Amino acid sequence: MERLIAQVQGYDIDLMTFDDAVNYVTDNISNKQGMHIITINPEMIELANKNKCFKEILKEADLVVPDGVGITIALKLKNIEQEQIPGIDLAVELIKNCAITGDKIALIGAKEKILQKAAENIEKEFIKLNICYKHNGYFTTEKEKEIINNLTEKSPSLVLVALGAPKQEIFINKCRETLPYTVFIGVGGAFDVWAGEVERAPEIYRNLGLEWLYRTIKQPERFKRIYKTLPIFLFKAIIEAIRNKCLKGNK
Ligand code: UDP
């Protein structure tokens, strides 16, 4: 499939519907076409602007879908309509399809108890699911090598990595050399949700693009992250949109 891409502040964002994203990745899993999926939000863009290694990883990703509403707003300011593709929802669909096809999955991340509970709950939900490997997200550099070796040996079709950004993307980047046929996706706090530890925002918040607000109310410590990045990101998005309009006007 040819990628249809738009740029937000110099970063590629794939333009597609949620269903197309699910189908595209599911096809890649079936065809053993390894890939790194990034579910991007404004915080990640601000982080990448300060972290060269993370920036490179974002630029080299095989699929970048807008997880955060800030990204879809930035696109809208450029007159590009793109639905939000929450990483957690995309991940659930991929897991569901792996349970149907018998493709093996692996889970890396979160605290041990959360990881075990999340695995138990998704196994209950998708009965035929084959979780071939899992490890919590608190490990040393030495242990990291062992985890990558174990993953390589188990060779799962899909690996869900829940370490938060940029840790999960950096970890995925290290795995790809020995696991070229595996699809990787960073899923942030998804295991906490699947374990029942953190509540997902009610549908009304999600439909209004206000999941971030709900999460900030429930976990006030997240405010520190958002207030430092979101206003700067939105300010840059407005400037970018104005500059675009001026450039078009001059043509
Ligand atoms: N985490 C981890 N190892 C670390 C740091 C974080 O496994 O060294 C886990 C943490 O326990 C949580 C997830 O990564 O389950 C990050 O969640 P967060 O809500 O920060 O991610 P977001 O959804 O905002 O990207």
Side-chain angles (χ1 to χ4, degrees), residues 31-43:
N31 298 331
K32 301 270 171 248
Q33 179 73 50
M35 64 190 298
H36 182 180
I37 307 163
I38 307 249
T39 65
I40 203 162
N41 61 36
E43 253 176 70

Side-chain angles (χ1 to χ4, degrees), residues 40-58:
I40 203 162
N41 61 36
E43 253 176 70
M44 288 162 81
I45 289 193
E46 287 307 315
L47 256 170
N49 287 336
K50 295 184 196 121
N51 180 333
K52 219 173 143 193
C53 163
F54 186 42
K55 186 176 194 166
E56 280 303 308
I57 295 173
L58 292 195

Side-chain angles (χ1 to χ4, degrees), residues 151-164:
L151 275 174
T152 306
E153 193 190 307
K154 299 281 180 188
S155 179
S157 299
L158 173 69
V159 181
L160 301 120
V161 186
L163 304 172

Side-chain angles (χ1 to χ4, degrees), residues 143-195:
K143 188 77 193 171
E144 181 180 76
K145 285 187 193 139
E146 196 183 311
I147 294 170
I148 297 175
N149 285 341
N150 289 339
L151 275 174
T152 306
E153 193 190 307
K154 299 281 180 188
S155 179
S157 299
L158 173 69
V159 181
L160 301 120
V161 186
L163 304 172
K167 265 192 187 168
Q168 59 197 21
E169 285 74 23
I170 293 170
F171 174 78
I172 290 172
N173 196 46
K174 288 182 188 165
C175 293
R176 295 213 57 208
E177 199 182 312
T178 55
L179 286 148
Y181 309 118
T182 297
V183 171
F184 288 90
I185 179 167
V187 291
F191 295 1
D192 302 75
V193 175
W194 296 337

